[in-house]
Amino acid sequence: MKRSKLPFYLLITGLITIGLVLSIFRHLEYQVPWMPGEKSTIWSIEARVEFDAIGEAVKVNLSRPQSQNGFTLINESTASPGYGVAFIDQPPKSEWSIRQAINEQTLFYRADFLVDNSQATANIPAPKLNLINWEEPFKTAANQILSQVRQQSADEFSFAQQLFKILTQQEQDQNIALLENKQSNLARLAVDLLNQAAIPAQLIYGLKLEDGRRRQDLVPFVRVWQNEETEIFQPMTGLRGLPEEYILWQQLQSPVLEVVGANHSGVSFSIIKKQESIAAAVQAKQDTEQNLVSFSIHSLPIEEQALFKTILLLPVGALVVCLLRILVGLRTSGTFMPVLIAVAFIQTSLITGLVGFLLVVLTGLMLRSYLSHLNLLLVARISAVIISVIAIIAVFSVLSYKVGLTEGLKVTFFPMIILSWTVERMSILWEEEGAKEVLIQGGGSLLTALIAYLAMTSDVLRHLTFNFLGMQFIILAAILLLGNYTGYRLLELYRFKPMLSHQADQDSNK
């Protein structure tokens, strides 16, 4: 009995309607633009403070960022159940306190920055000189370095420039090597030497803005004063100025994190970029408390939002696989293995990922051909393949590092179980179908992974899938529609073309 397709088409219509309604509502209510870059860019940065409380009163101080060149602070909030919270302005920091806490504790501080070219950093007065009482032989080494730099400079900024040049040179001076035994932090050593030369300087920290990054650390910089002017130096290179992709988290010389009443404290940062209107950002500031408890992915901590930003791209990859397999007829090794490879390419970059994937799989196939002669049981054989893949990745990582190709270290981002299963499936396919089938399915998998990668890294699709959750319903509806397709695939039409031509000739001869 032929079943009616009406419920199926009603389901498809319902999914598309829900997706469109949710997307249009978010666009109209929250003024989220349909296309990236159409409105203002907002960077949301979340600091995650973790520590082990020991059952006593706990007090936590975390430095807070301020508006600065190119960035306006539009919103800040915290999530810390049971803790009292206060925002202190001088110096800018957030302070948590609780009478008693025990075991692992996690506190969140979140700041939203609007990209604003009209914003300028407020004047920061020069700090007091912090003179170090150097002991011998460190005192003599410091004086010799400062004397040499003074001869090669004309003012405070050129003095700092020459000092960083000496500190970062390849063939290290013996005086520098001696001082580094006392102070291994190069940025802090530079500040100490500048203060010793009566030049105001202080250690500050910045954060690299990369969309979707998690567990990031602060990067040290050195700010130097010359009369009323200031200049920022990069201690590892000696270059002047703050790189464009950085934002300053701490602009005054004070501890980034202070925890009293606990052990093993630490802070890490997660970053995410959003496209919203200024009005929406201001509204979000007013609704901060409500948003923290609202049921939405955008109310999650930034670290989890960054994770979801990648997860929400997986349906796009699945749609690409469905299109290529169902409509085009492309054969792949594993149904959704190409999607996982595409996700790995996002982490490694495309060229590095392709080269690493081919090297690991080809080497793994050679090892797997030897294992097939041992007649092992399936579980033991797959376990041996997993260990072999780990060893191959380790060897390639060390080799690439030794020859200076640090990009090769990114091969560790590949999911090792997926790589092992790829090697196993390819090997079985080789034994049963021959090398030609391996090339067809392997090539099909890589081509599908490449197209999925291009789709998943598209700025437009990344923007739509993360900011409009209704898009997930529309993608689901498209996949269900493809699942109902029973016609010829594109490659089948190409394969049957001679037969169809022959049939057409016969018909014309009649």
Side-chain angles (χ1 to χ4, degrees):
M1 184 178 67
K2 190 174 181 180
R3 299 178 61 181
S4 171
K5 288 192 174 182
L6 181 60
F8 175 75
Y9 290 118
L10 287 176
L11 173 63
I12 298 298
T13 305
L15 288 173
I16 294 176
T17 303
I18 293 172
L20 289 176
V21 168
L22 287 176
S23 300
I24 293 172
F25 173 78
R26 181 157 173 78
H27 172 68
L28 296 178
E29 184 67 18
Y30 295 97
Q31 301 182 35
V32 179
W34 291 112
M35 302 299 290
E38 188 177 318
K39 298 286 183 177
S40 302
T41 298
I42 295 175
W43 289 96
S44 292
I45 308 172
E46 181 183 84
R48 181 190 185 104
V49 179
E50 296 174 298
F51 55 87
D52 293 332
I54 55 177
E56 299 177 356
V58 175
K59 191 173 180 180
V60 179
N61 285 308
L62 175 71
S63 63
R64 291 162 44 220
Q66 300 292 296
S67 295
Q68 54 195 275
N69 285 342
F71 299 98
T72 298
L73 177 64
I74 58 172
N75 185 24
E76 54 184 345
S77 59
T78 63
S80 48
Y83 281 78
V85 183
F87 289 156
I88 298 173
D89 292 332
Q90 291 298 331
K93 62 181 180 180
S94 53
E95 182 179 277
W96 291 272
S97 57
I98 191 170
R99 183 62 62 184
Q100 187 178 31
I102 194 166
N103 296 331
E104 293 183 4
Q105 302 284 311
T106 304
L107 309 175
F108 295 95
Y109 168 81
R110 172 174 167 175
D112 292 334
F113 281 94
L114 173 70
V115 175
D116 182 5
N117 294 327
S118 63
Q119 180 66 46
T121 302
N123 288 331
I124 301 176
K128 294 181 180 177
L129 296 177
N130 182 23
L131 299 179
I132 304 296
N133 186 19
W134 301 90
E135 299 174 353
E136 293 294 352
F138 306 111
K139 181 177 181 181
T140 301
N143 288 335
Q144 289 183 357
I145 294 171
L146 295 177
S147 176
Q148 177 186 349
V149 174
R150 190 171 288 107
Q151 292 294 326
Q152 300 171 347
S153 60
D155 53 20
E156 285 83 347
F157 289 161
S158 59
F159 187 99
Q161 186 77 71
Q162 292 302 317
L163 178 61
F164 281 113
K165 183 178 178 182
I166 292 176
L167 291 176
T168 57
Q169 62 188 2
Q170 292 290 331
E171 295 181 5
Q172 202 171 53
D173 184 87
Q174 60 179 355
N175 292 324
I176 299 296
L178 179 64
L179 291 178
E180 285 188 348
N181 289 330
K182 182 177 178 63
Q183 177 55 271
S184 58
N185 187 318
L186 187 64
R188 194 171 295 280
L189 175 61
V191 171
D192 291 342
L193 288 172
L194 287 167
N195 283 178
Q196 196 69 19
I199 297 176
Q202 68 180 19
L203 188 61
I204 57 178
Y205 289 92
L207 194 62
K208 189 174 184 179
L209 296 175
E210 291 183 281
D211 187 22
R213 289 294 179 181
R214 305 163 58 204
R215 300 276 176 181
Q216 297 296 293
D217 295 322
L218 295 174
V219 178
F221 294 93
V222 175
R223 188 193 295 276
V224 180
W225 276 260
Q226 178 175 293
N227 300 324
E228 299 298 325
E229 300 179 8
T230 67
E231 188 71 77
I232 294 176
F233 290 84
Q234 303 172 40
M236 301 308 297
T237 61
L239 297 176
R240 291 193 189 191
L242 187 70
E244 288 186 1
E245 68 272 22
Y246 278 81
I247 189 170
L248 290 177
W249 184 268
Q250 185 218 42
Q251 302 197 51
L252 298 176
Q253 188 160 327
S254 61
V256 175
L257 176 66
E258 286 181 307
V259 180
V260 178
N263 297 322
H264 309 123
S265 61
V267 58
S268 60
F269 298 86
S270 301
I271 307 156
I272 199 166
K273 183 168 78 171
K274 296 184 290 187
Q275 300 286 338
E276 292 186 1
S277 67
I278 298 177
V282 174
Q283 184 64 38
K285 180 179 179 179
Q286 296 173 351
D287 299 338
T288 297
E289 292 185 1
Q290 181 182 348
N291 282 340
L292 288 175
V293 296
S294 62
F295 187 78
S296 167
I297 286 178
H298 298 89
S299 65
L300 291 175
I302 296 298
E303 184 173 355
E304 279 66 28
Q305 286 191 47
L307 182 62
F308 267 102
K309 196 161 192 175
T310 301
I311 291 175
L312 291 174
L313 286 171
L314 292 179
V316 176
L319 179 61
V320 170
V321 171
C322 289
L323 286 170
L324 293 178
R325 285 179 67 100
I326 296 174
L327 295 185
V328 179
L330 206 61
R331 281 181 286 175
T332 62
S333 177
T335 308
F336 292 107
M337 190 264 284
V339 179
L340 298 176
I341 296 175
V343 173
F345 285 168
I346 294 175
Q347 300 292 325
T348 60
S349 75
L350 182 59
I351 301 301
T352 305
L354 273 175
V355 173
F357 178 80
L358 290 175
L359 283 175
V360 172
V361 171
L362 291 177
T363 311
L365 280 176
M366 287 189 283
L367 290 174
R368 172 62 178 76
S369 67
Y370 170 73
L371 292 176
S372 64
H373 291 89
L374 301 180
N375 294 324
L376 299 174
L377 294 175
L378 177 64
V379 175
R381 191 176 67 219
I382 293 176
S383 301
V385 171
I386 292 173
I387 295 172
S388 301
V389 166
I390 293 173
I392 293 167
I393 289 176
V395 169
F396 283 141
S397 299
V398 173
L399 283 177
S400 61
Y401 178 74
K402 289 295 183 184
V403 299
L405 298 174
T406 53
E407 282 288 308
L409 296 174
K410 293 181 178 177
V411 74
T412 55
F413 286 119
F414 274 110
M416 296 182 187
I417 301 300
I418 298 300
L419 281 176
S420 303
W421 269 110
T422 303
V423 171
E424 178 67 16
R425 290 176 64 91
M426 291 288 185
S427 180
I428 293 174
L429 195 63
W430 193 311
E431 293 171 355
E432 295 179 350
E433 305 287 342
K436 182 181 178 183
E437 191 64 23
V438 171
L439 288 176
I440 291 174
Q441 293 197 17
S445 297
L446 276 183
L447 179 60
T448 306
L450 176 62
I451 296 174
Y453 166 82
L454 294 175
M456 294 164 71
T457 53
S458 163
D459 287 339
V460 174
L461 289 179
R462 289 173 68 91
H463 171 78
L464 291 176
T465 53
F466 180 68
N467 291 293
F468 299 95
L469 297 182
M471 293 299 298
Q472 304 298 325
F473 290 94
I474 298 175
I475 293 174
L476 175 59
I479 290 175
L480 291 177
L481 275 176
L482 286 172
N484 205 36
Y485 178 74
T486 56
Y488 285 108
R489 296 174 174 85
L490 195 60
L491 292 181
E492 287 176 339
L493 291 176
Y494 177 76
R495 189 175 61 177
F496 296 146
K497 185 178 179 181
M499 185 183 72
L500 295 174
S501 300
H502 180 69
Q503 184 67 36
D505 292 340
Q506 287 183 336
D507 294 341
S508 63
N509 292 332
K510 287 180 181 178

